[in-house]
Amino acid sequence: MRIRYLPETLINQIAAGEVVERPAAAVKELIENAIDAGASAIDIDVIEGGKKRIVISDNGHGMSREEIAAALDRHATSKLPHDTLETIEHLGFRGEALASIAAVSKTSIQTHHKESGESWEIYCEAGKKSTPKPCAHPNGTRIEVRDLFFSTPARLKFQKTERSEFIAVKDCVTRLAMAYPQIAFKLTNNGESKLSLPAVLDQQSRLSSILGRDFGENAMELKSKRDEAKLWGFAALPTYHRGSSQYQYLFVNGRAVRDKLLHGCVRSAYADVLHRDRHPVLVLFLDLPSTDVDVNVHPAKAEVRFRDPQSIRSMIISSLKNAIHEGGFQTASTVRHSTLRAFKPENDHHVPTPALPFARGNTAAVPRTYAQPSFLSERVTNSYESQSAAIAPTARVEEALPETQSYPLGAARAQLHENYIVAQTESGMVIVDQHAAHERLIYERFKNQMQKNGVVKQGLLTPEIIDLDETQVDVLMQHAPALSKMGLELEPFGKDAVAIQTVPSLLGDRIDFKRLIYNLVDEIRDFEHTNLMENHLNEVLSTMACHGSVRSGRRMNAEEMNALLRQMEKTPLSGQCNHGRPTYVELSLKDIEKLFGRR
Ligand code: ADP
Ligand code: MG
């Protein structure tokens, strides 16, 4: 055995293993180069999801004869003029993407160098490049990559299906397109257009065309600034959520990054308004001085390190929380749309016809819509008359109308099935789920009290000892002061155990201490912080709220109903119950007219 230096092609093939893991990674590098070249329009044309061919054309500044030859060499870049990694101002900086791609494919480049007016082309197969030749390319740069991985059979075998490779390509194009609205993007697969995004001025219209109008309508805008860091973007209302967290995008200095920090922050910010298994859609842009973030972490530049992750985390959480609180009284417009769909006649044929109850002579089951109006009104009056004196007559509700109608949730007009308040607003109607709404109100009140008076602790007669390993003890003890504020006092017990001294009295002995401690350790490790204690306490409060709130089935008079509506308007987060279900739906007059075919 003899140590020897590897040939350049092999070195490039090895680098390619990291940089271009799959066709989508090559697409990402090539688009980033086009963006760095100042392009305002980028066309991405792939065949078989990029496995057979990738062509990226841009209208950027192009390359000179020397540059086109150097571009294919490893560690050749035009993007680090000051020879330092401290100030990275372009998406590229490693100078190895083109070399890596060209090492494992058949790559040809045609470019028009704006500065000199000359056009050049070059060809490279499995790392062996030709000399540049003049050509007639009119504008920008066109890079064609054929048969990716043909020279590395091992990697070729690991290629996925065309479909999944194309999904990855599209995902990468979309991410970059979100960050650069002023650049037009076109994507085709096998000659079929898959995405066509014209250049636009603002991020919001680009995001709407990518994530759909629903997102545009149901997103809260957020903006915050801390020292030199700027955070802005759009986050979904808590009532607009998905089953997966894949629709959470973070861009750091225009770079799409996957960072578990984001998911931790999102979970923490939405903990109170969304079930753990549901995930809001959101797009956040973080702009930092380049000295505060290290992008040189990962060959594919998909990860970053922050100089001060704690402050970035708290900035993200607090601005999300602020937005949620400001939007807290709203419910998503999709809630309204699904309500409308439920009403729509075209859905009727899915519903079993009500013939059967008729046939059995069960008149009580006669659907409202089939009843004579006179019959209906008679029944309504009767039921009002039979109610206790505490129930206000309809007339009183009407009187209350003029002044309260102008409130966002309007004036209560009736209670249906002893759980739904129907209110008239200036431009439509609102149906409130009184139980869900009341639950939220009580929960918020409990939380408020807890914040004011602090968490009441309860000492354990004999401290509970939990065995851990040394690093786990360390991890936990670093967070001891924060946990103590939440009522959980911990002390190290020997080297590899902790002793629980106090617990929040709200939790009492209803929890499994061992599991709590293990979960705390896991959460701190995953997210470098924890809000598990707070969540536990909030869960208890939420259960208490559920027991303490107006059960469905309670009659309320007009005053009570209106008081509930006014209370909801004042209470943060009252648009959804503690699990992200809406507490009310709103239909505008327009919506109602649509239902009756008047529009
Ligand atoms: P990096 O982007 O990290 O510099 P690459 O290997 O991706 O490394 O590209 C090498 C060099 O080739 C770039 O620095 C740039 O000067 C040039 N280049 C690549 N693609 C383009 C393009 N589309 N237009 C103009 N120049 C390009
Ligand atoms: Mg590059």
Side-chain angles (χ1 to χ4, degrees):
M1 218 166 39
R2 188 170 63 86
I3 296 182
R4 65 183 184 101
Y5 289 95
L6 295 175
E8 187 69 16
T9 26
L10 202 53
I11 293 175
N12 282 337
Q13 284 183 3
I14 291 171
E18 292 180 316
V19 184
V20 277
E21 182 212 344
R22 61 194 297 187
V27 169
K28 169 182 173 284
E29 294 294 339
L30 297 173
I31 298 178
E32 287 187 350
N33 282 345
I35 295 172
D36 285 343
S40 62
I42 303 173
D43 285 3
I44 305 102
D45 185 8
V46 299
I47 293 192
E48 290 181 20
K51 294 202 282 185
K52 188 99 207 90
R53 200 184 79 172
I54 299 167
V55 180
I56 312 262
S57 317
D58 67 52
N59 60 356
H61 54 55
M63 287 174 269
S64 66
R65 185 189 191 283
E66 290 68 42
E67 284 170 331
I68 198 176
L72 288 167
D73 292 340
R74 220 151 72 93
H75 306 312
T77 178
S78 56
K79 300 169 193 174
L80 290 180
H82 309 299
D83 284 343
T84 164
L85 288 175
E86 279 284 290
T87 47
I88 290 174
E89 268 141 24
H90 291 92
L91 292 170
F93 61 89
R94 303 172 63 101
E96 58 182 357
L98 275 184
S100 304
I101 294 169
V104 295
S105 70
K106 300 164 189 162
T107 301
S108 59
I109 307 179
Q110 276 118 30
T111 188
H112 176 78
H113 188 225
K114 272 208 178 107
E115 208 181 304
S116 63
E118 293 172 2
S119 296
W120 294 95
E121 68 182 351
I122 197 167
Y123 179 72
C124 187
E125 185 166 321
K128 288 189 193 63
K129 58 178 184 178
S130 67
T131 41
K133 276 197 307 235
C135 72
H137 192 68
N139 187 22
T141 302
R142 176 184 188 275
I143 302 191
E144 175 173 332
V145 177
R146 276 192 295 127
D147 301 328
L148 195 65
F149 305 127
F150 88 100
S151 56
T152 47
R155 176 58 60 96
L156 194 61
K157 266 192 248 149
F158 285 101
Q159 297 251 71
K160 301 229 174 72
T161 59
E162 167 175 353
R163 197 182 126 74
S164 69
E165 293 301 350
F166 180 70
I167 289 175
V169 167
K170 191 173 171 195
D171 181 63
C172 130
V173 177
T174 345
R175 278 173 196 267
L176 284 160
M178 284 181 183
Y180 296 90
Q182 67 285 8
I183 300 179
F185 287 88
K186 275 199 192 125
L187 170 66
T188 56
N189 186 31
N190 302 331
E192 202 181 312
S193 166
K194 295 291 183 184
L195 206 59
S196 177
L197 301 165
V200 285
L201 288 177
D202 64 312
Q203 220 99 24
Q204 197 167 7
S205 23
R206 174 61 60 88
L207 292 178
S208 290
S209 52
I210 292 175
L211 293 168
R213 219 185 57 202
D214 270 356
F215 178 71
E217 278 177 11
N218 293 298
M220 317 168 285
E221 187 170 1
L222 43 105
K223 252 193 202 131
S224 61
K225 211 170 169 289
R226 196 177 278 184
D227 304 326
E228 283 181 274
K230 259 199 320 209
L231 175 76
W232 55 282
F234 300 89
L237 287 170
T239 37
Y240 182 77
H241 42 68
R242 301 267 177 100
S244 135
S245 63
Q246 81 179 97
Y247 303 101
Q248 296 177 350
Y249 304 91
L250 175 65
F251 297 86
V252 179
N253 292 352
R255 203 182 285 280
V257 298
R258 290 171 204 277
D259 202 308
K260 61 184 180 191
L261 173 133
L262 176 69
H263 299 299
C265 293
V266 172
R267 227 175 54 161
S268 170
Y270 281 81
D272 220 18
V273 286
L274 202 54
H275 193 272
R276 260 177 114 78
D277 298 336
R278 305 299 301 174
H279 306 272
V281 178
L282 46 87
V283 187
L284 299 182
F285 300 92
L286 181 60
D287 287 335
L288 295 171
S290 58
T291 43
D292 284 354
V293 56
D294 187 359
V295 294
N296 185 24
V297 178
H298 191 272
K301 300 163 287 176
E303 282 173 31
V304 296
R305 293 261 189 289
F306 297 109
R307 198 166 53 86
D308 185 358
Q310 196 52 48
S311 104
I312 300 293
R313 179 177 300 118
S314 85
M315 181 173 181
I316 297 181
I317 297 180
S318 65
S319 69
L320 279 175
K321 275 195 169 166
N322 279 345
I324 294 170
H325 274 259
E326 272 163 31
F329 159 67
Q330 278 176 55
T331 61
S333 74
T334 43
V335 171
R336 198 183 93 227
H337 296 153
S338 52
T339 315
L340 269 179
R341 268 199 301 279
F343 273 129
K344 275 268 166 71
E346 54 257 47
N347 283 352
D348 275 3
H349 58 268
H350 298 304
V351 181
T353 54
L356 221 54
F358 268 125
R360 287 194 189 136
N362 180 0
T363 43
V366 174
R368 281 197 309 270
T369 38
Y370 291 80
Q372 292 298 313
S374 60
F375 167 67
L376 183 70
S377 57
E378 199 180 310
R379 274 172 56 101
V380 171
T381 340
N382 281 345
S383 80
Y384 268 113
E385 276 164 10
S386 63
Q387 282 164 11
S388 71
I391 306 294
T394 14
R396 270 190 60 192
V397 184
E398 301 242 10
E399 268 166 32
L401 208 57
E403 76 256 32
T404 47
Q405 201 181 347
S406 57
Y407 284 102
L409 290 179
R413 305 229 45 186
Q415 185 193 28
L416 305 181
H417 296 285
E418 275 127 34
N419 185 45
Y420 299 100
I421 299 170
V422 180
Q424 180 171 332
T425 62
E426 259 170 354
S427 59
M429 68 182 277
V430 160
I431 308 172
V432 176
D433 177 336
Q434 84 188 28
H435 176 65
H438 204 237
E439 191 179 313
R440 181 90 225 182
L441 298 186
I442 295 204
Y443 175 55
E444 288 298 323
R445 195 182 307 153
F446 280 164
K447 268 199 320 188
N448 235 335
Q449 278 168 4
M450 189 165 85
Q451 249 159 28
K452 250 191 236 139
N453 310 330
V455 179
V456 184
K457 293 177 193 180
Q458 165 188 319
L460 296 183
L461 282 180
T462 43
E464 190 91 18
I465 312 295
I466 313 284
D467 291 324
L468 297 163
D469 65 36
E470 242 175 276
T471 37
Q472 287 174 322
V473 174
D474 275 355
V475 162
L476 211 51
M477 291 320 294
Q478 274 166 21
H479 290 262
L483 292 172
S484 153
K485 264 193 221 138
M486 298 309 296
L488 187 73
E489 271 179 27
L490 299 175
E491 270 169 27
F493 189 80
K495 257 194 194 162
D496 42 16
V498 290
I500 304 180
Q501 304 288 352
T502 71
V503 294
S505 28
L506 256 179
L507 288 185
D509 44 19
R510 67 174 97 198
I511 47 160
D512 178 345
F513 292 117
K514 204 163 164 183
R515 261 193 58 202
L516 173 68
I517 295 293
Y518 284 165
N519 288 346
L520 278 171
V521 173
D522 286 347
E523 193 166 271
I524 294 172
R525 277 206 174 151
D526 280 0
F527 303 114
E528 289 169 34
H529 81 129
T530 178
N531 56 355
L532 204 63
M533 272 315 285
E534 199 179 334
N535 290 352
H536 265 295
L537 287 175
N538 285 346
E539 257 163 47
V540 177
L541 293 183
S542 149
T543 320
M544 283 167 36
C546 178
H547 287 285
S549 61
V550 190
R551 292 294 157 146
S552 36
R554 218 200 93 191
R555 293 245 165 101
M556 294 211 279
N557 65 29
E559 264 160 74
E560 285 175 312
M561 290 193 281
N562 278 313
L564 182 70
L565 299 182
R566 299 298 79 81
Q567 194 69 38
M568 282 173 73
E569 287 155 0
K570 272 194 290 190
T571 306
L573 309 178
S574 68
Q576 55 272 311
C577 80
N578 309 343
H579 303 107
R581 285 190 300 273
T583 53
Y584 72 91
V585 295
E586 185 170 17
L587 292 177
S588 65
L589 268 179
K590 267 191 211 155
D591 293 333
I592 301 170
E593 284 165 4
K594 257 194 237 157
L595 284 176
F596 291 99
R598 282 167 174 261
R599 272 176 181 264

